[in-house]
Every structure is written in C-alpha cells, then in structure tokens.
Amino acid sequence: MNSPPVPLPAERVPPGTADWRTPDAERWLAAVPARWAHPLWAVLALVVSMVWYIAESPLAPCTSAEPCGTDWSGLGMMVVLVLTPYWVWRQPRLALAGLAAGLVGFAEDGGFTESFGEPYALAYPVAAAFTTAGIVHRLALAGRQRALALEAAGPVAQPLPAAALTFRRGRFSFALAALMLAAAGFGSWQAQQVADAYEERAAGASHLSGLVVAQEQDDDGIDILKVEADERTHRFETDFPESFPLDSQVDIVVDGDWAALAAEPYDAFGWESLALGASAAALAFFANGVDGRTRSARLRRRPLPVLRVLVREGHEDGRTWVFAADDPEALRPILHFHSLLAIDEDEDEKGNEGEQGSESDDGEADAVHLTKVRQILTGDDPPPPLREAVLYGAPYTGAEVALAARADADDPEVLVECSVTAVKAAVPGVLTRAPKGRQRKSERRSVEEVAATMTPGPSLRVWRAHGLSRAVGLCLLVVQGGGIWATVDDGPSWVWLFLPVALSWMISAVATTLTWRITADRDGLWVTGAWRVRRVEWDAITAVRHHEDGIRIGTGKGHDNVDLAPTGWAWLERRLGREPYAVRAADELRALQLDPELRPAEEAPTSRQGMPAGPPLVALSVLWGAAVLLLL
C-alpha cells in the first residue's frame, strides 16, 4: 500500500483554491493534439523533402561571369531552413515564420515552377502545408486546454509566492547564444578574408583563357582539372568537373606560380559551414532565452489561477509529474515538466544570518546528505514521495507554471519550484511515456513472483536471441562490413595492426546478438556464446542477473563467471513499452536456480545445446575482406 501524500500546511493554500479533480483532468487530457500532429512527423517530412530537393534540383553552373563564391543570402536562407525543424518541435509560433521564409526562398529559387513537373520540387510545399496544419492544430488545442484549466480553477486568482518573483530564466541560453554568435562572426570574417585575398591578388594577375586537356582524381578522390594556357599546364581542384568538359575553353587567373579558376576562384566552405552552424545555434539559443524570459515574466505580471494537485518527481528523469488531487494512488498522471527550486534571496540571507547551529549538528546533517547521495548512486534510495501542492498558472501544452509543496515528510518548509521546460500532457506518444516503476536492483521481481508465471514441466526450457537482439546483430554486422571495406580500401597501413583486435570484439558481439542461447535441462545450463558452448551445473550457480545488456551467471569464487553479452538492447525495449526479453530470461533462470521443482526433467541432446556463430563469422569476414581487395 502506498504512503499517504506529504501534506501541505493549510496556511500555505490560498483561500478558495479549487481541487483539480479526475473528471476535469480527463477533460483536459482529452484536449490533446491528434497523433498525426505530433511534431516528429512534421520534422521528418520537412527534412526528407529538403534533402530530396537539394539532391535532385539542378545547380546553376559556375561561370566566369557568375563565379561560385560566398553566397551570404543563400547561407542566411540555409540558417532558416536548418532552424525551422527545430522550431517546429520547440517553438511552433516561430516555426510558422520560418516556414513562410522558407517558402519565399523556395519561390525565388523557382521551386513552384518546377513543382508542376517534378515530384522532388512538389514535396517541400506539401511538407510545409502539412507542418502548418499540425502547428495550427496544436496551438488551437493548447488554447482549449487553457480554457478547461481556467474553468477548473474557477474565479480565484493569486499572485506568485515571493520566491518565484526573483526566479529568472534565459541567462544560460543568452550566454550560449553570445558564444555561438562570436563563433559565427569569426567564421564569417575568415570566409570574407579568403574572398578578399583572392580579389586583391586577382586584381594584379593575368587573366587567360585555357583548354581543358584532362580530368582526373587524386588519391583522396578530389577531382582535378588540367588546363593548358600560355604554353603551361595548370592543375586545379574543382567541385563541379561536369561544368568543364574536355576540350572546352575556361578562364583562369595566373600570378606567377599561383593560379585559380575564374569560375571557382576560392574555397571557403569550412569557414562558411562554421558560420552557418554557429548562426543557427546562436539563433536557437537566443530564441529559447527570449521565450523563457517572456514566459517567466508573464507569470509575474498578474495574479494567476491556482489548483490543488498532487505531484511527484520522476526517479529516473527528474521530471515533475502532476496528478489529480483525488488520485492518492498516483494512478494517472496529467502532465509533466522539469522544474528548479526558486529561492527568495532576502529570506535566504536572513536565514544565513540567524543560523547558529553547533558543529555537531552540521556534521550530522552532512552525514545524512552523504547517505542520501550514496543511496542514489547505488540505486537503493527510496522513490520520491507523492506530495500535495498548489499549482500556479493555467496549465496547457507549452505553458509555464510554478508550484508550492514540501520536499518530503521530514522537511516542514514549503518550497517553491518553477518550470524550466514547457508543460506537456502525460499521454502515450511517439517519444513520451508515463512514469513507470524503477528498473532498479532494489525493485527486482521476487523469485515467488517470477515462479508464479512459470509452469513446471519435464520439457527443456530455452531462451534464445529474439527479434530485437537479431536486429542489433544485423546492424553491427553491417557496421563490421563497412569497417572492413574502409580499412582495406585505404591500402596496407599501420591501421591493419588493430584490425584483428577490433574484429575479434565486433565478431564476438555480432555472433552473440544473432545466436545466443541458454538451454536448461535437469542437470544445469548449456550456454551458447560467440565461440563455444559452456556447461554450468545447477550446484555451481551462485547468482543470475541481467547486467549491462547481458546475462551474467555467477559460479562462485575461484571460477570464471559466465557472461553472455550483448543479448539485445534493454533501453530500446523499455522505450517501446515492452519488458526486456533478457531481463525476463535472467529472472526465470534465477527462479530455476533457487527452486529445483521448476527445473526440467529431461536431458538436453546435442542438437538442443546450441552452436556458436563466431567461427563461421570469422570465415565470412575473411572472405569479405578478400572480395573487397579483389574488387578494388
């Protein structure tokens, strides 16, 4: 049975504060955006359509009349295009402005003209329309949630507690924005320096017309153009060799031993990329800072609606989860956000002046704090308590709120917390889940609980690589093949000395995730790993547990433990709402170890003991490396 919520002193509850009850909370939860309006789908649509358009749309050729230099207006548009998907997720109102600017640039680039005949050009305006519809839908339902919250709160309005009045947001974002802006300015300055240096040298150089006599690639795959002019052969790196066919005339600029293509005069791509990335980051941080500062100022501007609720801090992610006031079992969360403690600086100074505790008291307090830290690090700390709280502000998706509550039952002081992330509804979504029980060693299922789900019988019990484990193995196999290709492609080098070590680790991981197997019979376990099948008698097993995406079977002092890893990806399985298969397997193996009545009565034949896949994978890797050498 759960402990009762930590009560809030009656004098700290504003008069007339209404309880946010389950029926009102359910109406609020019903006013959430439809699944199609989740920002993830809009972001994917925008990114895919932009990449498709950039990859397929024809590029304007570089010519002597219109050389390929630094296009600052184009870089500015790229900053908007990069930021818009981020704003779709975090700042929907800014995303509308970004979408409008993107469509203007799309039109100037001739995209709408091409849209009638090319699917790649039609994709972006369709994605922008879909994104706009989703944003409008989300904002409309956020307004509906606000109206429902105001209706539940009634006419009572109260000012924020004094501690929240001094709480400020945005400082860190502004500092990061300034840092990124300085990096963007430096990148722009360096790019302009490259352009100015070319212009200065070209002004006093000879302008010649040459003949393209050859096109080739160097050892690094860079396209090289050979041009004959004034009885000399010049070599130029080019990004667009198709613009300079053989036997065509090209304009070049020559000054002694220095020469450049007039159509591609200089390369400042690295500095331009720095300016682009840093500018996008600076604008993102600046917008976040302005948004946080504006929202926190809006809370302090006027009295706010108040609601009595229950809150609990998430043990794993530190989120503050809000429950209805009549939900003492915390069965159905309503919303969540991250929050920070707001401290009244005046009261804090007075408290420091009035503190005259003894050194022994300070030592006891430090010991208590160290004990709590140790419990947190070892996973033995108790779950955070459910607390009564007063919520300040009308909650809706994207809102800013504050709350007053006690930290725990041992602390009589009422603390004020302010949200530092936007309010989100606690509904099942693509990337959001409600709080679940901790997956900690202190809450591992008991043997009796596991045994209750197992049916005793004489047949063998087998745990083997499941779908997700095999998927992880196939991904690792692709990475292994690509790594072999990349290493062999560069030719013999010192890097080959590390290939056996890297391959042995990779092959072991691939073989285990693809074919791991544990077979339990009457006498013990047959454990199939990457390289061999090990026999472990029941009497030799001292412990079984899931450890770092693997299953560890302890065999006591003086003997090597049996480790089987990796056996999947437990984190992803939990994110998908499933119990990790390897965790369940370890629990059931532990139950068999401790309860002999659950063990099978049969003896496993050789065909049921499993076969390691490591040796065949070694042969396959050698054949793949040989094939790559023959193909190159």
Side-chain angles (χ1 to χ4, degrees), residues 5-9 12-14 17-20 306-312 320-325 337 386-392 402-407 414-417:
V6 177
L8 185 66
R12 297 303 300 269
V13 179
T17 301
D19 291 348
W20 200 5
V306 286
L307 288 165
R308 291 193 64 170
V309 295
L310 300 176
V311 298
R312 170 177 283 163
T320 298
W321 296 86
V322 177
F323 302 84
F337 52 86
L386 190 66
R387 304 172 289 159
E388 293 182 358
V390 173
L391 193 67
Y392 289 83
L403 64 90
R406 292 168 59 191
V414 176
L415 304 177
V416 178
E417 301 174 32

Side-chain angles (χ1 to χ4, degrees), residues 223-234:
D223 291 299
I224 303 296
L225 207 66
K226 285 187 176 182
V227 178
E228 285 188 358
D230 198 20
E231 299 181 353
R232 293 178 60 187
T233 300
H234 302 274

Side-chain angles (χ1 to χ4, degrees), residues 53 105-118 120-122 125:
Y53 180 77
F106 183 75
E108 291 181 351
D109 196 39
F112 285 109
T113 303
E114 298 173 3
S115 298
F116 294 102
E118 299 293 344
Y120 69 83
L122 182 61

